[in-house]
Amino acid sequence: MVKHEHTGGPTRRQLLTYAGAAAGAAAMGAASFGSVPAFAAVAWRYPFTREYPIGSPFGPRPSPGGIGSTNHQGLDFTAGKDTRIHAIAAGTVIFAGVSGGYGNLTKIQHADGYVSYYGHQNHIDIANGAKVSAGQFIGRVGTTGTSTGNHLHLGITRNGTFIDPAPLVVGAPFANDSSAPSTPRDPYLKVIKSPGRGMAVVGAGYFRDLPTKEFQQCAEALWGDAMPGNDRQFDLWKAISLQGTKV
């Protein structure tokens, strides 16, 4: 049976917010928006619950105060002292402590080879080795290390190389998930769930289980909150979908 595809293509915001297409393709099989996987492994979040100005972007710059780097490997968010910082994606804390010019630094390992850096914190509120969810509170803004004022230095590496965080986190949902991506939902796919069956994505001629919490969060961000039911209803929705009918 042919699986339904929406051929209008994803929006830029969806692609930037839900990066990691390779793992998403493996999770979702052939479901896609045109030729681009409809699902991705890393569900990015903005590091705060509201927007803050970027004081220094990624890349070359004059040295701040004569003490800062001239090749900035991250984004500086000019939030005030003790503003709560949140993890930009789910992962595992691989460092939490003092690290040279970063001052108080937290590093989180994410899927697909990504690592996020949170520098100059006034206080670290997460332990090394801890598992964190996207948007989880991890620390507070400060000016420790080589710094000219209170701010969050957010860095991201992929496979060991620093990349510009802006395409991933600027425009992503706020940490408290109060702003979902302002994009149309795909009208042909829906998330369903039941106590005994878990969660899945269904569409006309399409069914795919969502085996992990990360995949479930991404699916709901793309296609809306899961439609709840009991196990019999779940099985019925699955059967209807595989017969080629939209639930």
Side-chain angles (χ1 to χ4, degrees), residues 118-133:
Y118 308 80
H120 309 304
Q121 295 177 69
N122 189 49
H123 192 267
I124 296 172
D125 289 277
I126 196 74
N128 192 32
K131 303 291 186 183
V132 298
S133 58

Side-chain angles (χ1 to χ4, degrees), residues 44-200:
W44 299 105
R45 291 284 187 270
Y46 192 74
F48 302 106
T49 58
R50 69 175 183 85
E51 189 172 6
Y52 287 93
I54 294 176
S56 184
F58 182 87
R61 65 175 183 178
S63 174
I67 61 173
S69 168
T70 57
N71 185 22
H72 194 222
Q73 300 294 289
L75 296 179
D76 286 350
F77 292 89
T78 55
K81 181 179 179 181
D82 286 335
T83 300
R84 291 166 67 93
I85 303 166
H86 302 260
I88 59 172
T92 302
V93 178
I94 58 174
F95 182 86
V98 178
S99 179
Y102 284 111
N104 291 329
L105 172 70
T106 301
K107 294 169 62 176
I108 301 176
Q109 175 77 60
H110 309 291
D112 295 337
Y114 291 99
V115 176
S116 56
Y117 292 60
Y118 308 80
H120 309 304
Q121 295 177 69
N122 189 49
H123 192 267
I124 296 172
D125 289 277
I126 196 74
N128 192 32
K131 303 291 186 183
V132 298
S133 58
Q136 182 175 330
F137 167 58
I138 59 169
R140 296 178 184 275
V141 170
T143 185
T144 57
T146 304
S147 171
T148 58
N150 289 295
H151 69 284
L152 168 66
H153 171 91
L154 176 68
I156 297 179
T157 60
R158 188 167 195 199
N159 300 325
T161 300
F162 280 100
I163 62 173
D164 186 356
L168 301 179
V169 302
V170 175
F174 290 129
N176 59 1
D177 206 20
S178 63
S179 64
S182 56
T183 56
R185 303 292 187 186
D186 177 17
Y188 303 106
L189 295 175
K190 182 176 294 185
V191 184
I192 61 173
K193 67 177 180 181
S194 74
R197 304 287 190 263
M199 292 175 63

Side-chain angles (χ1 to χ4, degrees), residues 24-48:
M28 296 301 290
S32 65
F33 292 101
S35 60
V36 181
F39 193 79
V42 181
W44 299 105
R45 291 284 187 270
Y46 192 74
F48 302 106

